[in-house]
Amino acid sequence: MTANDDSFTNWKTREEIAESMIPLIGKLHRERDVTVLLHSRSLVNKSVVSILKTHRFARQIAGEELSVTETLPFLRALTELDLGPSQIDLGMLAATHKADDRGLSVEAFTAEAVAGATGAGKIERGEGRDVVLYGFGRIGRLVARLLIEKAGSGTGLRLRAIVVRGGGDQDIVKRASLLRRDSIHGQFQGTITVDEASGTIFANGNAIKVIYANDPSEVDYTAYGIKNAILIDNTGKWRDREGLSKHLRPGVDKVVLTAPGKGDVPNIVHGVNHHTIKPDEQILSCASCTTNAIVPPLKAMDDEYGVRRGHVETVHSFTNDQNLLDNYHSSERRGRSAALNMVITETGAASAVAKALPDLKARITGSSIRVPVPDVSIAILNLQLERETTREEVLEHLREVSLTSPLRRQIDFISAPDAVSSDFIGSRHASIVDAGALKAEGDNAILYLWYDNEFGYSCQVIRVVQHVSGVEYPTYPAPAV
């Protein structure tokens, strides 16, 4: 047998193992609300090839490829446990078991590592929480995809309705079509049908009522059987407490804004300050995509090195706020063609840092350039540190943060030498550290942080909603603090 034959046989064997993992992962998700992860990447509803690629990607951050032969025993051990709703990381289980010197079996080690999700201390599955989307644009449709994907057993977040302004004939059909097909993010993973008579979109069995209204005051959500709902406003029309309070109608309990909040509206970056949300807070903001991209790595650097001052330059993909061709715009420069120009514009991300990181003493400034790509941006974070360091030390610190810290769902890490922006379409992290581009010398460090300003941000929004709804399940093994 040749080396080529050996390689192909090995591939087919790994395919077979990955195929055997799919029903186990699916059953845990549907029946117990357990999400199986691999280094913070969900394996739920993934294909054989996707599972294998996710295992291989571990080489980018952990230094060596993780094999399905290593993780399958841990997955099988999980199926034998009486698990409650949780997120369990197979990559972390395998890594911590390898580092453990007690000689425990996979079964015994797994039971110990996820003990908080079993027995009397486990979370009991609830009735679920209603969610309403106010607006159905770029972020609204991606949040809808995520809510439908995470429906699981039906006891978590439930997308009950979307509220939009009437758009004429076949409005609901056209909106369903935009949910079904996306030029950037591809096809919806599942089936979508429309009942025009009842004004309902059915997506993977989820019945989503389409409500037409020009103002929040026109809607009584209880008339649609919606109660105690979290409303996600992705229009950006109202950003202060007075405006967003219009959404607090019968059937709606909390309002989450997918744009920077103004005044006393809390700006929340999940992973950094979501724990500061007061239980009785009814209105909050998820800040901006750029704020979510820079705040977690800024916190990671400040915690380790201290930050004296910094500047963030964002090279940002164009958005619907710009014109395709030159035309009047209320903002300077944004009236010029987005598809043909680099456009200097403002960013509020730097000033928003203070709301998310009030203990940060450093002054952070910022500016932005819009460029002719439809998605994925990069933030260049230039920091003066309180102590000197080396490039190797900073890389090792950020790599470890992306693997084992409480920020591992926010910060990703890649060392691929030929990575470009389109490689990060669909990333679920708030930002991705580009190891090859990072610079550090003395007390200066320059971080290059990729982020999918649409999908990665939408994932952060969902995490905040999960937290305030009480269905943000704990992750095991627990990340290092």
Side-chain angles (χ1 to χ4, degrees):
M1 182 177 289
T2 66
N4 287 341
D5 290 335
D6 285 342
S7 177
F8 184 69
T9 300
N10 178 263
W11 170 260
K12 301 302 288 185
T13 299
R14 287 187 291 144
E15 271 191 324
E16 184 178 356
I17 294 172
E19 193 171 61
S20 72
M21 297 174 78
I22 291 174
L24 303 180
I25 294 167
K27 189 173 183 179
L28 285 169
H29 186 59
R30 288 191 307 275
E31 297 184 1
R32 307 187 198 178
D33 278 348
V34 173
T35 300
V36 177
L37 309 171
L38 190 83
H39 287 314
S40 301
R41 289 166 169 78
S42 174
L43 297 181
V44 176
N45 293 328
K46 294 297 187 289
S47 67
V48 168
V49 172
S50 291
I51 290 174
L52 291 174
K53 285 180 69 176
T54 304
H55 278 74
R56 183 169 177 77
F57 187 81
R59 185 176 63 176
Q60 294 284 346
I61 48 179
E64 59 182 2
E65 186 171 341
L66 187 62
S67 172
V68 287
T69 60
E70 297 176 75
T71 56
L72 178 61
F74 293 97
L75 180 59
R76 285 176 172 161
L78 291 174
T79 64
E80 299 300 319
L81 297 174
D82 181 26
L83 293 169
S86 55
Q87 298 186 103
I88 300 178
D89 196 314
L90 294 181
M92 285 297 295
L93 274 175
T96 52
H97 180 254
K98 184 181 293 186
D100 190 83
D101 59 3
R102 294 175 295 165
L104 294 178
S105 67
V106 166
E107 292 74 17
F109 183 85
T110 301
E112 179 183 273
V114 303
T118 61
K122 73 179 181 182
I123 297 173
E124 295 298 328
R125 293 162 64 186
E127 295 182 355
R129 187 71 175 268
D130 290 351
V131 178
V132 174
L133 291 177
Y134 198 94
F136 206 50
R138 296 298 303 153
I139 299 301
R141 291 194 296 273
L142 292 177
V143 168
R145 285 189 174 200
L146 286 164
L147 287 168
I148 294 162
E149 171 194 300
K150 295 179 181 298
S153 64
T155 60
L157 299 175
R158 302 177 301 190
L159 177 56
R160 296 293 306 280
I162 61 172
V163 183
V164 293
R165 290 176 298 200
D169 292 343
Q170 291 198 308
D171 180 275
I172 189 172
V173 173
K174 292 175 181 177
R175 294 186 189 277
S177 182
L178 285 169
L179 179 62
R180 183 182 293 114
R181 303 178 185 88
D182 190 285
S183 299
I184 296 170
H185 301 282
Q187 296 275 350
F188 173 80
Q189 295 301 304
T191 62
I192 293 176
T193 58
V194 175
D195 184 344
E196 290 188 76
S198 65
T200 306
I201 296 173
F202 293 92
N204 290 357
N206 295 268
I208 306 164
K209 180 70 178 178
V210 179
I211 301 171
Y212 294 101
N214 293 315
D215 187 82
S217 63
E218 298 176 10
V219 188
D220 177 1
Y221 295 98
T222 60
Y224 303 96
I226 296 169
K227 59 181 181 180
N228 196 32
I230 297 174
L231 183 145
I232 304 173
D233 183 332
N234 56 89
T235 67
K237 184 175 181 180
W238 304 278
R239 296 194 180 189
D240 59 11
R241 188 172 295 275
E242 181 182 2
L244 292 168
S245 293
K246 296 179 180 181
H247 290 302
L248 295 173
R249 307 279 300 153
V252 172
D253 180 57
K254 294 182 184 294
V255 179
V256 174
L257 171 66
T258 64
K262 296 182 178 180
D264 67 342
V265 174
N267 279 252
I268 304 300
V269 174
H270 190 275
V272 175
N273 68 336
H274 67 278
H275 59 279
T276 65
I277 302 173
K278 298 176 181 178
D280 60 350
E281 179 61 75
Q282 289 188 288
I283 295 173
L284 54 93
S285 156
C286 291
S288 71
C289 56
T290 301
T291 303
N292 276 265
I294 65 173
V295 165
L298 184 56
K299 174 176 169 52
M301 292 297 289
D302 189 51
D303 287 348
E304 180 67 18
Y305 303 102
V307 174
R308 291 185 184 275
R309 61 175 174 266
H311 177 81
V312 60
E313 187 76 35
T314 303
V315 182
H316 198 291
S317 58
F318 63 78
T319 67
N320 274 330
D321 176 65
Q322 296 171 257
N323 293 328
L324 283 177
L325 295 173
D326 290 1
N327 204 354
Y328 173 80
H329 196 290
S330 58
S331 297
E332 293 181 353
R333 306 190 202 238
R334 288 200 187 191
R336 302 298 298 278
S337 171
L340 298 175
N341 296 290
M342 293 189 291
V343 180
I344 297 174
T345 187
E346 71 283 347
T347 176
S351 59
V353 168
K355 281 193 171 184
L357 280 176
D359 294 335
L360 182 72
K361 302 297 189 291
R363 179 172 180 263
I364 306 296
T365 58
S367 53
S368 182
I369 303 172
R370 295 288 179 93
V371 294
V373 294
D375 188 30
V376 180
S377 304
I378 189 167
I380 305 168
L381 190 58
N382 193 334
L383 304 174
Q384 183 184 7
L385 308 176
E386 291 185 352
R387 69 175 175 88
E388 294 192 350
T389 184
T390 64
R391 182 175 185 274
E392 291 71 25
E393 183 186 347
V394 173
L395 282 174
E396 181 57 27
H397 170 60
L398 293 175
R399 187 186 71 83
E400 193 62 30
V401 165
S402 75
L403 283 172
T404 63
S405 83
L407 291 171
R408 63 187 184 183
R409 297 175 71 194
Q410 282 71 44
I411 300 176
D412 202 1
F413 186 95
I414 188 167
S415 58
D418 56 352
V420 294
S421 61
S422 62
D423 295 329
F424 305 103
I425 292 175
S427 169
R428 295 177 182 240
H429 288 78
S431 63
I432 306 102
V433 175
D434 191 313
L438 185 143
K439 294 174 173 56
E441 183 178 357
D443 64 353
N444 178 244
I446 305 174
L447 278 56
Y448 288 74
L449 308 165
W450 298 101
Y451 58 109
D452 184 328
N453 49 277
E454 293 187 335
F455 197 71
Y457 176 68
S458 296
C459 290
Q460 283 287 87
V461 172
I462 289 293
R463 290 170 190 139
V464 171
V465 173
Q466 287 176 321
H467 178 75
V468 299
S469 69
V471 297
E472 183 184 28
Y473 302 137
T475 301
Y476 299 95
V481 178

